[in-house]
Amino acid sequence: MKTIELDLQHAVYFAEKEYEALKDTSVEALTTLNEGTGAGNDFLGWLHLPSETPEALVERINATAERLRENCDYVVCVGIGGSYLGAKAVNFALADSFADFYAPKPKEPKVLYAGQNIGEDYLAELKKLLEGKKFGIIVISKSGTTTEPAIAFRLLRDQLESQAGKEAAKNLIVAITDEKKGALRTMADQEGWETYVIPDNVGGRFSVLTPVGLLPIACAGHDIKKLLAGAKDMEAETAHPSPENPAQEYARLRNALYQSGKKIEILVNFDPKLQYFSEWWKQLYGESEGKDGKGIFPASVNFTTDLHSMGQWIQDGERTIFETVISVKKPALTHRIPMNASDLDGINYIADKRVDEVNKMAELGTLMAHEDGGVPNIRIEIPSLDEYSLGQLIYFFEIGCGISGYMLGVNPFNQPGVEAYKKNMFKLLKKPGY
Ligand code: PA5
């Protein structure tokens, strides 16, 4: 089932020459990816995750999620970067915008996050919220040695064990980590916690369709089978080189725009629920392409909110940007603007319209204005915000990233640059060996 619509007509003409010239390169990049002959080819496990994830693994994830949902009012996912952003993106997109303000209901725990920062207040406030509460922990770290989640996990585990008792806590902690190595693996094996494996050949930012993303998403009550089904259909749609392949065309056009001087790609949404999807996307593209002195800078804005803050820059600032807009065709709920007899606010002219009709006109008006202002606009439309469409979008951007990275001439699957801050921090903290 084809549901994502990619519209390039408002962008191609900005870099027509470069786009034409990159036709063969885009085909070669996808072929290299498929044949596993490019740089970083030991990290291509994500390529066939949607079609090759065993049914039994999905069932086990759902059973674990059910256990946590039955026994917890809060489930805290501990992880950072690729071990955090995918689950956060999907759960945020699918949740009621005000879910956090409702009390937890039986079997519907709140999914919270920790280990994605080193905020002392954040951790202290989280621990305060969890005081006397029934909670569980999903701790996620591929390396099993990352400092941020290690700190959060140590604090939360202590709290859980002292509140629930060490034996009961065993049933409430799930570790997702490497099959054999790392401190988290050692701890989990020693303590007897349930574990899931992050495959060796799947890097953090490509891991949302492994248990890393699937378990926290299932815990939040979402249908991971539908998520995988969307991804699987997109895997089939993007598998072969073709001018009809949307991921190949996206990768080709963004490289063409980059060559023509558009160095910044802004992922735009007109639905606030996509805010964290943009954060996931920024890591995917930023960590994959920003190396060797090259790479499009991935930025994001939430419209119309940011039209009132960043709109000026985008309309009128340095012409080095292009936009990729994710448009959701149909909201899940219906709400119309009421008529008002006095019309003092002057908006009776849109009374009786659905709120989304106004949003769509804002989107169209913005597209026209930005295009006039010299900003190429790539548009991706999804029918609705649900598991299936998100699965499609995730896989579309993953494979688009692999193709795009190879076109750029970098290894899209490593991240040597992220070690620099860690080395300095460890030295400053006098970690043994630094
Ligand atoms: O994409 C990546 O590799 C990183 O963002 C990692 O996911 C992140 O640093 C967390 O690493 P780990 O899962 O080993 O704790």
Side-chain angles (χ1 to χ4, degrees):
M1 189 179 16
K2 184 170 181 250
T3 56
I4 281 189
E5 291 292 339
L6 178 69
D7 182 354
L8 307 181
Q9 63 176 310
H10 301 283
V12 170
Y13 71 92
F14 282 92
E16 195 94 56
K17 241 182 357 118
E18 293 84 351
Y19 181 69
E20 272 314 306
L22 284 172
K23 194 171 172 194
D24 293 345
T25 319
S26 65
V27 171
E28 280 156 26
L30 177 53
T31 307
T32 304
L33 202 57
N34 282 335
E35 291 176 351
T37 49
N41 57 2
D42 41 350
F43 281 97
L44 294 179
W46 55 272
L47 203 51
H48 300 300
L49 274 177
S51 58
E52 289 177 3
T53 298
E55 186 67 26
L57 176 62
V58 177
E59 295 305 338
R60 181 158 88 90
I61 292 172
N62 277 331
T64 304
E66 215 34 56
R67 184 178 84 237
L68 292 172
R69 285 169 66 77
E70 298 242 331
N71 292 295
C72 303
D73 287 333
Y74 297 88
V75 175
V76 189
C77 301
V78 177
I80 194 166
S83 293
Y84 153 67
L85 283 163
K88 174 81 186 182
V90 174
N91 285 343
F92 193 83
L94 296 177
D96 181 304
S97 307
F98 300 96
D100 287 350
F101 297 95
Y102 292 99
K105 291 194 204 135
K107 298 191 188 172
E108 284 183 32
K110 304 280 178 207
V111 176
L112 308 173
Y113 303 86
Q116 82 284 32
N117 59 46
I118 326 180
E120 187 162 341
D121 286 349
Y122 184 94
L123 286 165
E125 285 158 8
L126 176 62
K127 282 181 55 103
K128 187 171 153 216
L129 171 76
L130 297 172
E131 259 167 33
K133 306 277 179 25
K134 293 196 306 184
F135 77 97
I137 306 172
I138 302 172
V139 53
I140 309 169
S141 177
K142 182 165 193 228
S143 63
T145 55
T146 306
T147 311
E148 291 90 336
I151 295 170
F153 182 54
R154 186 182 279 205
L155 288 165
L156 293 167
R157 179 189 163 190
D158 273 0
Q159 182 171 2
L160 180 61
E161 289 181 347
S162 75
Q163 282 181 200
K166 199 164 162 70
E167 260 326 286
K170 282 193 179 163
N171 223 20
L172 298 169
I173 297 177
V174 181
I176 306 179
T177 189
D178 186 86
E179 190 179 4
K180 298 196 185 88
K181 53 182 193 302
L184 183 56
R185 167 54 60 190
T186 311
M187 260 194 275
D189 288 347
Q190 269 175 18
E191 299 291 334
W193 302 325
E194 184 180 14
T195 62
Y196 284 90
V197 170
I198 308 176
D200 262 352
N201 59 359
V202 180
R205 59 189 173 275
F206 287 86
S207 70
V208 53
L209 299 175
T210 73
V212 169
L214 296 178
L215 181 58
I217 293 167
C219 265
H222 307 306
D223 188 337
I224 56 173
K225 287 187 183 169
K226 285 190 185 149
L227 188 81
L228 285 166
K232 187 174 167 188
D233 285 351
M234 187 51 72
E235 180 187 328
E237 199 181 325
T238 54
H240 305 293
S242 148
E244 306 299 310
N245 180 329
Q248 179 190 317
E249 287 303 280
Y250 171 61
R252 177 180 164 194
L253 181 51
R254 64 196 297 284
N255 273 278
L257 291 165
Y258 180 62
Q259 288 181 6
S260 77
K262 306 293 185 194
K263 305 288 185 191
I264 300 164
E265 178 176 9
I266 307 177
L267 194 72
V268 176
N269 66 67
F270 280 81
D271 186 325
K273 287 176 187 256
L274 284 169
Q275 180 182 342
Y276 279 93
F277 192 85
S278 298
E279 297 304 320
W280 170 82
W281 172 89
K282 282 194 280 195
Q283 184 202 0
L284 182 64
Y285 279 80
E287 235 174 45
S288 300
E289 294 194 318
K291 52 196 71 158
D292 307 336
K294 300 192 261 195
I296 294 171
F297 183 84
S300 66
V301 289
N302 306 302
F303 285 167
T304 62
T305 308
D306 293 333
L307 281 171
H308 298 258
S309 61
M310 295 301 291
Q312 172 61 38
W313 200 105
I314 295 171
Q315 186 69 46
D316 241 0
E318 192 179 67
R319 300 297 74 189
T320 46
I321 55 172
F322 66 98
E323 290 176 310
T324 296
V325 178
I326 302 178
S327 181
V328 182
K329 195 166 184 185
K330 216 166 155 236
L333 306 171
T334 306
H335 219 67
R336 292 184 184 277
I337 298 161
M339 181 67 80
N340 181 281
S342 63
D343 194 26
L344 286 177
D345 51 12
I347 58 166
N348 268 357
Y349 75 101
I350 46 173
D352 287 335
K353 285 193 192 297
R354 286 186 65 171
V355 173
D356 192 58
E357 267 185 86
V358 182
N359 203 24
K360 290 290 184 293
M361 290 308 110
E363 183 185 324
L364 186 56
T366 305
L367 185 155
M368 294 189 300
H370 289 182
E371 202 181 347
D372 283 349
V375 182
N377 187 293
I378 298 173
R379 186 167 183 274
I380 298 166
E381 186 179 87
I382 59 172
S384 55
L385 211 42
D386 54 25
E387 288 95 333
Y388 182 86
S389 292
L390 286 171
Q392 285 212 317
L393 266 188
I394 286 168
Y395 192 85
F396 166 81
F397 279 123
E398 285 182 348
I399 190 157
C401 183
I403 301 169
S404 185
Y406 279 158
M407 292 184 72
L408 185 66
V410 298
N411 174 355
F413 307 112
N414 66 3
Q415 55 284 328
V418 298
E419 293 311 310
Y421 97 91
K422 292 184 193 168
K423 280 189 194 139
N424 290 340
M425 175 178 79
F426 292 150
K427 207 168 164 187
L428 291 164
L429 288 168
K430 302 192 175 27
K431 181 174 176 169
Y434 284 82

